[in-house]
Amino acid sequence: MLRRLALTAVASLAALSAAAPAATAATGPLPLPLPLPLLHADDARTRLTVTVSGTGDPTAEGVFELKCGPAGGSHPAAQQACDRLEELAGEGADPFAPVPGDAMCTQQFGGPATARVTGTWRGRSIDTSFDRTNGCAISRWNGLRPVLPSVR
């Protein structure tokens, strides 16, 4: 039985191999794949401007530049911030996505701190705001630490 199955498989493969060139000749050559755009080194780099206010901590407030690949800029914790962004990307998370409109959020106030993040993350344009006006917003902020400062 095993021998019959093997012979049938070999015969089927031979028939398909013989039919493929004939089918290609009848329909013409196969189309070439489209070229993929090449990523330039700067396309994958992260360059963000983080503007923070209302934290109550003068050292945490201001406008900070964050560059990753390699880490740098005026951000006070550039390497840790770049590591966190890379960690989130590895998890498939979008740290800059807004809170979904249908999210059930606790009605707690986390303080008047606000942040705006603009620039480029992994080649994608970013322009988003953060606050601490409810549980979802607080969680979103805390999930992006140390890109955003810790707030008490």
Side-chain angles (χ1 to χ4, degrees):
M1 169 117 169
L2 186 57
R3 185 174 181 202
R4 180 181 291 167
L5 184 61
L7 288 172
T8 303
V10 169
S12 296
L13 184 60
L16 287 173
S17 296
T24 302
T27 61
L30 294 174
L32 294 175
L34 294 175
L36 295 173
L38 295 176
L39 282 178
H40 297 286
D42 289 341
D43 290 342
R45 295 181 79 168
T46 295
R47 294 178 179 270
L48 299 171
T49 301
V50 182
T51 306
V52 182
S53 64
T55 66
D57 179 359
T59 63
E61 296 186 9
V63 178
F64 306 101
E65 298 297 323
L66 175 63
K67 298 176 185 176
C68 300
S74 61
H75 193 282
Q79 185 62 58
Q80 294 88 346
C82 291
D83 291 346
R84 179 64 179 146
L85 289 171
E86 191 61 31
E87 177 184 4
L88 290 167
E91 295 171 1
D94 180 356
F96 303 106
V99 173
D102 61 350
M104 301 281 289
C105 304
T106 59
Q107 296 304 302
Q108 65 189 71
F109 184 66
T114 61
R116 182 166 182 204
V117 180
T118 58
T120 304
W121 176 60
R122 301 178 66 84
R124 190 180 105 208
S125 181
I126 301 297
D127 187 352
T128 190
S129 296
F130 292 82
D131 60 38
R132 300 176 59 81
T133 56
N134 61 44
C136 294
I138 293 168
S139 178
R140 182 174 175 245
W141 180 296
N142 291 345
L144 200 53
R145 288 187 309 203
V147 176
L148 300 178
S150 295
V151 178
R152 294 177 201 81

